[in-house]
Amino acid sequence: MTATRRAALLLALLFCAHGPAPSWSRAAAASTPQPPASGEASDLAAFIEASYTKYEHRISMRDGKRLHTAVYVPKDRSRSHAILLLRTPYGVAPYGVDRYRERLGPSERFAREGFVFAYQDVRGRFLSEGEFIEMTPHRAGKRGPAEVDESTDAWDTIEWLIDHVPNHNGRVGMWGISYPGFYTAAGMIDAHPALVAASPQAPIADLYMGDDCYHGGAFMLAANFDFFTRFAPHSGPTLPEDRRSFDYGTADGYEFFLELGALARADELHFHHQIPYWSELLEHTTYDEFWRSRAITPHLRRVAPAVLVVGGWYDAENLQGPLAVYASIEERNPGIANHLVMGPWSHGSWSQGPGDRLGHLTFGSATAELYREQIEFPFFHAHLYGDGKTDLPEAWMFETGTNRWRRHDSWPPAETRTRRLFLGPEGSLGFEPLASIGSGASGDAGFDEYTSDPARPVPFLPYTAVGMPDDYMTEDQRFAGRRPDVLVYETEPLEGDLAIAGPIGVELWVSTSGTDSDFVVKLIDAYPVDYPDPDPDDRTPMGGYRQLVRGEPFRAKFRESFTEPTPMTPGEPTRIVFSMPDVSHVFRRGHRVVVQVQSSWFPLVDRNPQTFTHIPQAAPEQFRAATQRVYRSPEMSSAIEIRVLESSM
């Protein structure tokens, strides 16, 4: 699912003898050594060991289960300190009171400022008691002592910290990226009064509706397979030799998954029914109660803490999560401080590194450093140490294409106008609605067609790889446009900049000779052929580059409902409407807007056999080639709907 998760699971999780929790008097009795100079970034680990005392506790929840929590307390007792809490299923290594993390908090500046840091294994993970439940369902309403969820566990943890951590100032913040972002979002609901600031970053919000597992009803194969080979259930501490990477036996993920066939075979060949979460993914292919109960967005009401929601425009795993969490909080909690930040980042990459480039794209500045220094730290410092006043706008969004930050009073911005780009004849794309086709005189049939063959699906990468590279969302799409099973529509070179902000709507009129099909739509920025190369060390020429701006699959059997799929009628034109996640992008003057339409995106997305069936268990004979048509007549207009900033019109 997430690169951050995968990296965390590869940490050495060595277990030291875990005796009774040490008393807080240990820190008071310890002398306080002089920390290294703040400019010596390479000495951060030494600074942490010199400046903090580590404790390990089993904190009791209201139902009696105890959660392992590592707490790092500043040795400086000359002032009080705010508390920052992170709850995670990935382990709080290293374990043992004499073994310290090399980093504390969201960035180095937090450790040097002197916060208290608490890291907690959630239920059923590593040294915490209880049962681990994937995306724990939220319990709404009044609860009894045994009715627990991630909101109550956060409350109970904060209550214990407030009662036991010495020399704190009574204020607590939460943060986390990806899965820990979900725990942060859940902890904001009916929050403990001491929780005054929270930052869910790339949070999982709804695993089925556009997050890690399903997009438009289509299963995100490469990412989930890679994740669940590493995220096996377990109890107790895990040694490095017990956590090996999965051996694909090849560097070519395309061939690996093609040879796998139906996804149910993964259990037979590789997982051997030892990973229940994988089996659940393939069992629940519709938006049933299993998924609905795990969506956190409907429950984001009664949120009192100030919120900073963070995400990346190129987050291949949790792009939709921050947008959905922000929108839900905004709708259900009017008047609270609720900020949204979106930068040009892959999953979690804003937490380290400069953030000045991704793949072949350069952004002209150290965007991640700016975020950490001018957005994230000021937000927490203002609410945990100050009066809560900040200079943060409602939405601080990086605009790709122009490579600049923009401040908005709302998101999507109010100052936009909806416009439609119509798919036209001979691969054209334009803002003008199509004129009537005169009784065949033009020779135009009013549709374009291609053959989609599950035995030869369209790849999502122009090179071989296993898993899901973080930068695939920036990749040049010329390789796909050259295939006969990919339709390409493009505008003339733009006469001026075209700035778009917000979600992208898709309306397709399609038909298939099968009974089910996928339709993948990609919005692309085509650079002029004479575009200069900004990076002389990058061997990929940017002249003619076709940058993926946004792309999403949609599984046609869900066109009427994600809970009750219906087959397509062969040869019958059918309207499909769906949305792609938000963008903030400018197509520059001289560039072209390009749309590609295809019926596979492999192995990013699992193969649709193009037969109406339970896809994970499809028989080999059900995988059939199909003739796909995309209609573009006045009566059946296929179009892309964008929100254009008025300043660019």
Side-chain angles (χ1 to χ4, degrees):
M1 283 188 194
T2 67
T4 300
R5 301 180 213 182
R6 291 193 292 269
L9 290 169
L10 294 177
L11 292 173
L13 303 178
L14 294 170
F15 176 63
C16 297
H18 191 80
S23 68
W24 290 110
S25 61
R26 171 183 168 186
S31 61
T32 304
Q34 293 298 313
S38 61
E40 300 173 4
S42 61
D43 289 336
L44 178 60
F47 171 85
I48 290 171
E49 289 201 40
S51 305
Y52 284 84
T53 301
K54 180 184 177 183
Y55 303 87
E56 291 186 340
H57 297 275
R58 300 284 183 89
I59 300 178
S60 292
M61 301 294 103
R62 63 190 64 186
D63 64 344
K65 299 300 182 184
R66 298 179 302 166
L67 305 189
H68 174 81
T69 309
V71 184
Y72 295 78
V73 180
K75 294 176 181 177
D76 177 12
R77 297 301 180 87
S78 65
R79 62 187 179 94
S80 59
H81 305 276
I83 301 171
L84 276 173
L85 169 65
L86 183 141
R87 307 186 64 243
T88 177
Y90 302 126
V92 297
Y95 292 95
V97 294
D98 297 321
R99 304 184 70 239
Y100 284 64
R101 296 174 67 94
E102 295 183 355
R103 288 184 55 185
L104 289 175
S107 71
E108 177 179 340
R109 191 169 177 186
F110 286 84
R112 296 195 183 279
E113 179 67 20
F115 288 76
V116 174
F117 300 98
Y119 292 85
Q120 185 175 79
D121 289 332
V122 297
R123 286 175 179 259
R125 297 297 290 175
F126 298 93
L127 299 186
S128 284
E129 298 174 349
E131 177 188 4
F132 175 74
I133 300 175
E134 185 86 9
M135 287 283 286
T136 312
H138 180 77
R139 295 177 180 268
K142 294 183 179 180
R143 305 180 178 96
E147 294 177 309
V148 296
D149 58 18
E150 303 308 337
S151 174
T152 64
D153 282 358
W155 172 289
D156 294 346
T157 299
I158 293 171
E159 178 78 0
W160 190 95
L161 293 171
I162 290 296
D163 287 345
H164 293 86
V165 171
N167 218 44
H168 67 76
N169 69 359
R171 300 182 186 183
V172 178
M174 286 186 71
W175 96 102
I177 298 173
S178 192
Y179 221 143
F182 159 75
Y183 293 109
T184 301
M188 301 186 307
I189 304 168
D190 296 319
H192 191 286
L195 182 63
V196 297
S199 182
Q201 303 179 11
I204 307 170
D206 189 330
L207 283 168
Y208 189 92
M209 287 296 190
D211 262 345
D212 284 14
C213 295
Y214 285 86
H215 285 215
F219 181 55
M220 305 304 287
L221 172 58
N224 281 279
F225 186 93
D226 189 59
F227 175 67
F228 282 105
T229 59
R230 304 166 191 265
F231 195 67
H234 71 280
S235 60
T238 304
L239 299 175
E241 56 266 27
D242 298 328
R243 184 70 65 184
R244 296 187 178 93
S245 297
F246 178 78
D247 182 9
Y248 284 84
T250 177
D252 191 342
Y254 184 97
E255 289 299 326
F256 174 84
F257 287 111
L258 203 59
E259 293 176 3
L260 176 64
L263 298 186
R265 298 187 69 226
D267 254 336
E268 303 168 18
L269 299 177
H270 303 296
F271 297 154
H272 310 296
H273 303 281
Q274 298 300 306
I275 304 180
Y277 313 130
W278 171 264
S279 302
E280 289 172 337
L281 289 181
L282 302 187
E283 178 184 352
H284 299 279
T285 59
T286 65
Y287 195 50
D288 59 11
E289 182 59 23
F290 177 86
W291 297 114
R292 291 195 300 272
S293 68
R294 285 162 167 76
I296 197 65
T297 45
H299 304 290
L300 289 171
R301 57 184 80 249
R302 297 184 303 280
V303 174
V307 182
L308 180 71
V309 185
V310 183
W313 290 130
Y314 304 114
D315 189 336
E317 299 153 64
N318 296 122
L319 169 59
Q320 184 64 21
L323 297 167
V325 166
Y326 165 79
S328 179
I329 294 172
E330 195 70 7
E331 175 187 354
R332 294 174 169 84
N333 305 271
I336 76 162
N338 181 34
H339 308 281
L340 175 65
V341 180
M342 297 292 293
W345 306 310
S346 60
H347 190 67
S349 65
W350 52 86
S351 66
Q352 55 189 345
D356 58 340
R357 67 176 302 149
L358 181 65
H360 302 300
L361 303 185
T362 57
F363 305 124
S365 64
T367 65
E369 291 178 2
L370 179 146
Y371 159 74
R372 294 192 296 270
E373 291 296 317
Q374 299 185 31
I375 301 176
E376 183 180 49
F377 182 81
F379 168 79
F380 276 111
H381 196 273
H383 290 284
L384 296 179
Y385 285 106
D387 59 7
K389 294 180 180 179
T390 70
D391 187 38
L392 296 179
E394 179 77 9
W396 200 336
M397 318 297 271
F398 189 85
E399 186 178 74
T400 55
T402 56
N403 289 341
R404 63 173 178 171
W405 289 97
R406 295 191 65 150
R407 301 163 68 99
H408 297 283
D409 296 331
S410 63
W411 189 263
E415 63 278 13
T416 60
R417 191 179 86 187
T418 299
R419 301 190 67 186
R420 290 166 65 83
L421 277 165
F422 296 92
L423 279 56
E426 299 179 348
S428 62
L429 184 68
F431 288 108
E432 295 300 322
L434 299 177
S436 297
I437 300 172
S439 61
S442 66
D444 188 353
F447 60 81
D448 298 303
E449 72 176 25
Y450 57 95
T451 299
S452 171
D453 186 354
R456 192 173 175 269
V458 180
F460 79 105
L461 293 170
Y463 54 85
T464 58
V466 294
M468 183 179 63
D470 286 341
D471 61 354
Y472 96 86
M473 294 180 72
T474 70
E475 194 55 66
D476 188 348
Q477 298 301 306
R478 281 178 286 193
F479 78 98
R482 293 171 180 142
R483 287 180 57 116
D485 50 358
V486 177
L487 301 180
V488 181
Y489 303 88
E490 57 187 73
T491 66
E492 294 296 322
L494 298 173
E495 296 181 356
D497 286 358
L498 177 66
I500 63 175
I504 299 164
V506 176
E507 179 182 11
L508 292 181
W509 281 89
V510 297
S511 68
T512 177
S513 61
T515 52
D516 187 22
S517 283
D518 289 352
F519 290 93
V520 178
V521 176
K522 295 184 286 188
L523 182 66
I524 295 164
D525 186 342
Y527 293 29
V529 294
D530 59 352
Y531 190 88
D533 295 332
D535 185 354
D537 295 328
D538 191 335
R539 295 184 179 182
T540 299
M542 298 304 290
Y545 196 85
R546 298 206 161 193
Q547 175 195 336
L548 180 63
V549 174
R550 190 63 73 235
E552 280 289 293
F554 189 86
R555 191 145 283 172
K557 66 181 177 183
F558 296 114
R559 65 197 180 280
E560 298 176 2
S561 168
F562 283 106
T563 60
E564 298 292 338
T566 55
M568 297 279 281
T569 300
E572 180 178 297
T574 304
R575 181 173 177 261
I576 292 176
V577 178
F578 64 97
S579 292
M580 298 197 286
D582 301 23
V583 299
S584 179
H585 183 78
V586 176
F587 296 87
R588 304 306 301 271
R589 182 175 62 86
H591 290 223
R592 298 173 186 258
V593 182
V594 175
V595 171
Q596 290 182 356
V597 181
Q598 57 201 58
S599 287
S600 52
W601 211 13
F602 189 73
L604 180 69
V605 175
D606 67 324
R607 291 182 302 155
N608 190 324
Q610 302 176 153
T611 301
F612 183 77
T613 187
H614 182 65
I615 293 177
Q617 294 179 337
E621 62 272 15
Q622 291 180 297
F623 287 83
R624 301 169 183 167
T627 299
Q628 320 286 53
R629 287 182 175 177
V630 176
Y631 296 85
R632 40 167 184 73
S633 67
E635 298 75 24
M636 294 184 287
S637 296
S638 295
I640 305 297
E641 187 173 274
I642 56 177
R643 299 189 183 198
V644 180
L645 282 169
E646 293 176 351
S647 59
S648 74
M649 292 189 292

